[in-house]
Structures are given as structure tokens and as C-alpha cells.
Amino acid sequence: MGESDVLAIQQSLNRVETALTDLTKAVNDLRVTVARDYVTKEDFLKFQEQSESRIVKLHEKIEDHVKEDKADRWKLAGLVATITGIVLSIIQGVIGMVRGGGGTQ
């Protein structure tokens, strides 16, 4: 091998090295570009925590609504019982007046 062959190999190696450097930069740029489209683990964990807290709040609201609904039903039942008692008392009073008033004349 002559000196010209060695120089040719060195020049080829320099070109390959330059090409590899450019290729490495391009791959790194591509990684950055692609990575922007993906969610990071930190963002995912933050989103997961927010979602879990929303679900917990939703369940608490549902439980509160169920408790209020039960309380409203008991109030309605009490109101119906009171009105029924008043109506029955009035009917009993009217019947008593009709029966009692007819026998005294």
C-alpha cells in the first residue's frame, strides 16, 4: 500500500465520520420532534391524580344526593301521614256531628 492509498482511506474515513455526525444530529432532532407528541410520565401521573380526585368528588356528590333523597322521602312520608291524620280527623268529626246532631232533635 502506498501513501496515496493511505491518504484516500483517511479522506474516506473523514467523510464517513462527518456523515455519522450529521446522521447522529438528525436522529437526535427526530427524537426531540417525536418526543413532543408523547406524554411524559410526570404529566401522565399528574393527569391520573386529577382524574382520581374528580372520580372521588363525583362519588361523594352521588352519596350526598342519595342521603338528601332519603331525607326528602322521609319528610314527604311525614307530611302525607300528617295530612292523612288531619283529613281523617275532619271526616270523623263530620260523621260525629251528623250522627250526634240527628239523634238530639
Side-chain angles (χ1 to χ4, degrees):
M1 245 196 234
E3 197 172 309
S4 63
D5 291 335
V6 172
L7 284 175
I9 291 173
Q10 275 183 333
Q11 288 175 352
S12 295
L13 285 175
N14 286 338
R15 279 187 254 137
V16 169
E17 184 180 355
T18 304
L20 283 175
T21 302
D22 292 343
L23 181 62
T24 303
K25 287 179 184 177
V27 168
N28 286 335
D29 290 344
L30 182 62
R31 284 182 185 164
V32 169
T33 301
V34 171
R36 286 185 192 150
D37 294 338
Y38 290 100
V39 176
T40 62
K41 184 175 182 178
E42 184 178 305
D43 290 340
F44 174 77
L45 292 175
K46 189 183 299 182
F47 174 76
Q48 185 179 21
E49 183 179 317
Q50 289 173 349
S51 296
E52 288 173 356
S53 67
R54 286 180 186 158
I55 291 171
V56 168
K57 287 179 183 177
L58 181 63
H59 282 285
E60 289 173 354
K61 285 183 180 181
I62 290 171
E63 289 174 2
D64 290 344
H65 177 71
V66 168
K67 288 177 184 175
E68 290 174 4
D69 190 43
K70 286 180 182 179
D72 290 343
R73 287 181 188 174
W74 281 108
K75 288 176 187 176
L76 181 63
L79 181 64
V80 168
T82 302
I83 292 173
T84 303
I86 292 171
V87 168
L88 288 176
S89 295
I90 292 172
I91 291 173
Q92 189 177 19
V94 169
I95 290 175
M97 286 187 340
V98 168
R99 285 187 181 168
T104 56
Q105 289 180 352

